[in-house]
Amino acid sequence: MRNPSLFMIAGLLLSLAGLNPSSAAQEKPAGPDKTAAAPRYKDATLPIEDRVTDLLGRMTLEEKVDQITGGWEGRVGIVDPTGTFTAEDARKTLLNEWGEEQKFTPRKSAILRNGVQRYQLEKTRLGIPEMFLSEGLHGVMEYGSTSFPQALGLAATFDPALVKRVFTAVGDEAGSRGLGQVFSPVLDIARDPRWGRTEETYGEDPYLVSRMGVAAIEGLQGDEFLIGRHHVMATAKHFAVHGQPEGGTNTAPGNYSERIIRENFFVPFQAAVEEARVGSVMASYNEIDGVPSHINHWLLDRVLRQEWGFKGYITSDGDGLQMLVNTHHVAYNNADAARQGIAAGIDYDLSEGTAFSTLVAQVKAGMVPESEVNRAVRNVLAAKFRLRLFDNPYVDPDATERVVNSEEHRKLAVEAAAKVIVLLKNDKNLLPLDLGKLKNIAVIGPNAADIHLGGYSRDPGQGVSILDGIKSRVGGKAKVLYAEGCKITTAPQGYLGWAADNVKLVDASTQTASIQEAVATARKADVAILVVGENESTNREAWAENHLGDRDSLDLLGAQNDLVKAVVETGTPTVVLLLNGRPLSINYIAEKVPAILEGFYLGEEGGVAAAQVLFGDVNPGGKLPITFPHSVGALPDFYNHKPTDNRSYEFSTRQPLFAFGYGLSYTTFSFDNLRVEPKQILTGGTAKVSVDVTNSGQREGDEVAQLYIHQRIADVTQPVMQLKDFDRIPLKPGEKKTVEFNITPEMLSILNIDMHRVVEPGVFELMVGPSSDKTSTVRLTVTNGQGETGRPPLPPAPAGSESGLVSNFDGGKVAANYGMWIPASDSMNGGKSSSALAVVEPGADGTKGALQVTGEVVSGGQFTFAGALFSPGSAPMQPANLSSKKEIGFWAKGDGKTYTLIVLTEARNGNGNMPALTTFVAGPEWKHFSFPFSTFETDGSDLSGLGFVHVQEPGKFQFEIDQVEIK
């Protein structure tokens, strides 16, 4: 426990010394001595560490603290030979740099920053350049810069190469404007979509976020360690556990176990440090286990610096140190917050400087070791040397104008937006729209006529709304009709709504006339395109009680559902395009609207891209980077949950509305011939998973092959599946490509009971498919050096199974050589279906008897079925070891209906998964069927039942089976 009297003494010392905490940084020392020999820190040929050491040794305490303290923008001087800015103009502009309506043009931004750097190099004692900071979430947050799709949308591309190209453009625009660093990317794992900042993330999966984050960092910083003027330093934020706050509210605690934190929230940050060499990390506002991140020694020092080897500088979040006083209540005052923060590892006070500016007095009073200040200054100076600011801090204003929002970057914005769009539903192939068959097109909705960029945006100076994009694409081929339909909030439309305070919902009851106008518009049209969702004022960073952004519902806001229902009920074919920053529980839309597109926020060229997709110029290939739940009550609903998170809700379902990784196409794809080679490896070995992906439709399109892994038995519980790799591939009609994934020890490793990362011997399920809810599985066995898998010895095979024959029914009895036959139906779970078993003559293929199965499927349950079950164990559903067998065979005939063969295994059913199954048709003549164990994703070692059943279709049925074999 800290002694409060110690801090009163420190305050007294400060006052006795007559020190104003902020005065030390107010005055700039005299200009450099031009007659002296050039100091070592100005020698660009020396290593950065040597240059920093030399410079640090020349600095006064006041100069050191000035380097690590925010608020300098209001104190800058300027030498501007163009005469564009005076010092006062420069200060006012920089202090209002993020003002929503300030038109800080690309050219002026370059001139101003050149002037400040010229002053720093020519008029200050040591000539230390400034490092200009800005936001770069999906474009530079300054007037005129290209606005690309929002981060959550970029994640939907499942295309890291594209994301790197996007952020290469962002880095070029930022560097060309004289910026040195942007606060991007956001690497938070979004596991509670109530949180208003979900849109800023790359979704719910650690691996996907890590791939997108590494791509963004490499794009921003470039491929070399030294960062040139066409790039900027990236910032990995918010470290850590910021994306699943309690209650879904911004900055709330992230109180999760160290194992959960390391297995999920740390993954993208570790990749950012170890793979992408990110230059800066920002601490998060929240606490973990009672310790705010800004003073968390374990987080900032032990993990980030000692374990991962981070060499960059750690910045506070905006006023994050001050929150230690005002919100967390773990510091008495800003001086105390500064002392705790710098001791924990914070290197820079991102605020008006009210915390770190106290360090001069605290060092002099003996309250803070100067060595801690030196460490922070060293890290910040190293960042400036890495940016080459000491060697050439200037940019070319003419080049700035050519680069920022260039034609090349706008084309990239169109390409990125088109790749973002996810096709969620397309009944009867309503999409793409055929202009040759349309005379009138209705574009309706509160998000149709304005440009929606998402949070952390500024006016790009140009842009295309959905309405304008459709009008431009249609031209004179059809008439485009427009109706707003309803309003959502009282805030200004577009990016201005993000900064609006005291936002109110528009009363849905006041929107009746507007909805009726939309209905009249829809009735005049051949197709209605509804553009609904959210806007920048409804999902955003909640930084105050008068500026909220988190929600307790995921339903459409305001009168939007009423609008959708009214338009659908006109009978006009309807397409819904969603623009939003989080998953929405769009149950009515999912049920009633024939075609649905998800766009998130598409950026300044969103209207162009949306029109390309709507009219078939581009085939959508995006995939959901986050799960869409049926309701907010299903949260948390991330796909990579633990096995015990499998219970359904009474009167409802736990199944998502749309699963992680889901997305359709205007064409169709098939995944075939999944295999792994070799099938068995040592714990340090590798394997290769291959699958053939074929475009089986009529259009060229992109498919995303997704690899998931599950360790069947582990030292500690494992998620039911985890994304480990993916590949977005283009395919022409009829084209087939073999997609290969290399299985590495890292993919198979887990944190064991002792928190050590190891690869355990065992069986791993390798699942590949187009989404998390549609995969096929092969198994990989991993052994230790002695060939052991960690699995207990298997029991012997059942007596009587040696021949492979289960039953031929020639004895006239419902019997088997081992195990037993029993009637099976949904009556076991409260259903009303029924079945009966009897032996009839003759059998198949010249045999004497056959098993006749009769019954009736009665509707009413969630899963209705009836038929026969063979249980191979000594008791019903007791598993048996039939691993020496390879396939299941039988003869069947019957009433011509389609029946289902269900294979039940202990492992699959114990995990709460659906059993493996296939179908067969019991026609009027005997037919032999044979299925290998691989069809059912089993090796036969824990077989608990074979079900021959009729499912879902109500009515009576009758079929016969004979010569049942497991051989």
Side-chain angles (χ1 to χ4, degrees), residues 728-812:
R728 180 167 178 159
I729 56 171
L731 290 170
K732 293 181 171 60
E735 184 180 6
K736 179 174 73 174
K737 286 185 179 178
T738 298
V739 178
E740 296 180 342
F741 297 113
N742 290 318
I743 306 300
T744 65
E746 180 184 5
M747 288 181 177
L748 304 176
S749 67
I750 66 169
L751 292 174
N752 68 8
I753 196 71
D754 298 316
M755 295 297 289
H756 298 142
R757 185 156 290 281
V758 299
V759 177
E760 295 180 343
V763 177
F764 292 80
E765 295 172 329
L766 312 179
M767 297 164 273
V768 179
S771 65
S772 64
D773 65 341
K774 189 178 180 182
T775 61
S776 297
T777 303
V778 292
R779 290 181 175 178
L780 174 67
T781 299
V782 177
T783 67
N784 60 19
Q786 289 73 46
E788 299 169 337
T789 65
R791 180 179 185 173
L794 293 171
S801 66
E802 297 82 4
S803 69
L805 179 66
V806 172
S807 298
N808 60 14
F809 308 104
D810 286 353

Side-chain angles (χ1 to χ4, degrees), residues 136-454:
L137 182 61
H138 55 114
V140 182
M141 193 173 153
E142 291 184 359
Y143 175 81
S145 294
T146 310
S147 185
F148 293 95
Q150 182 58 287
L152 190 61
L154 289 173
T157 68
F158 275 67
D159 191 343
L162 174 66
V163 171
K164 182 176 180 178
R165 288 168 56 209
V166 165
F167 281 96
T168 297
V170 174
D172 195 3
E173 293 194 8
S176 297
R177 298 186 76 134
L179 291 166
Q181 180 180 351
V182 294
F183 300 131
S184 180
V186 171
L187 300 183
D188 303 322
I189 306 297
R191 306 218 309 181
D192 191 330
R194 293 176 296 178
W195 185 45
R197 305 191 74 173
T198 297
E199 63 166 287
E200 299 177 34
T201 76
Y202 294 115
E204 71 184 38
D205 179 76
Y207 181 77
L208 178 63
V209 175
S210 74
R211 294 309 89 203
M212 296 298 170
V214 167
I217 293 164
E218 291 177 346
L220 289 168
Q221 297 188 165
D223 295 325
E224 304 297 328
F225 179 77
L226 294 178
I227 301 170
R229 300 309 298 145
H230 291 285
H231 293 279
V232 287
M233 184 167 288
T235 311
K237 66 178 190 180
H238 309 85
F239 193 59
V241 199
H242 197 45
Q244 194 180 2
E246 291 181 2
T249 57
N250 193 39
T251 76
N255 287 326
Y256 303 98
S257 70
E258 181 181 352
R259 181 180 305 281
I260 294 299
I261 291 172
R262 287 184 179 273
E263 289 177 340
N264 295 279
F265 299 101
F266 277 179
V267 171
F269 287 95
Q270 186 171 2
V273 172
E274 295 181 348
E275 292 182 51
R277 300 183 295 184
V278 70
S280 180
V281 170
M282 178 182 286
S284 58
Y285 286 127
N286 58 284
E287 65 175 77
I288 302 171
D289 194 24
V291 183
S293 296
H294 282 70
I295 55 172
N296 192 323
H297 291 252
W298 172 77
L299 188 70
L300 303 181
D301 183 50
R302 179 180 156 188
V303 173
L304 183 58
R305 292 205 182 277
Q306 294 183 40
E307 292 185 20
W308 300 347
F310 177 61
K311 302 298 183 185
Y313 87 94
I314 303 172
T315 178
S316 75
D317 204 340
D319 290 328
L321 291 169
Q322 290 74 7
M323 275 186 67
L324 301 174
V325 180
N326 303 321
T327 307
H328 289 296
H329 303 153
V330 294
Y332 292 96
N333 49 38
N334 287 338
D336 185 15
R339 183 192 67 80
Q340 293 189 59
I342 199 167
I346 298 293
D347 296 317
Y348 188 82
D349 173 10
L350 184 64
S351 70
E352 292 300 312
T354 55
F356 272 15
S357 61
T358 67
L359 290 173
V360 171
Q362 292 202 74
V363 170
K364 290 182 177 180
M367 299 299 298
V368 173
E370 189 167 1
S371 60
E372 292 181 353
V373 172
N374 288 343
R375 180 218 72 222
V377 176
R378 177 178 289 277
N379 291 333
V380 171
L381 290 176
K384 293 184 177 184
F385 280 113
R386 186 178 177 186
L387 285 162
R388 308 181 191 184
L389 293 176
F390 283 85
D391 310 317
N392 181 21
Y394 305 115
V395 295
D396 179 0
D398 293 333
T400 304
E401 287 190 314
R402 291 193 300 271
V403 167
V404 176
N405 224 323
S406 63
E407 181 180 358
E408 177 186 357
H409 289 179
R410 292 195 299 273
K411 287 180 178 178
L412 179 58
V414 173
E415 178 188 350
K419 282 197 169 184
V420 163
I421 296 174
V422 184
L423 180 62
L424 297 179
K425 185 179 178 182
N426 195 22
D427 280 0
K428 298 180 180 179
N429 294 320
L430 176 58
L431 292 175
L433 300 175
D434 185 350
L435 265 179
K437 298 178 180 179
L438 302 174
K439 294 181 179 180
N440 295 295
I441 300 170
V443 181
I444 299 169
N447 285 348
D450 294 281
I451 301 167
H452 292 281
L453 305 174

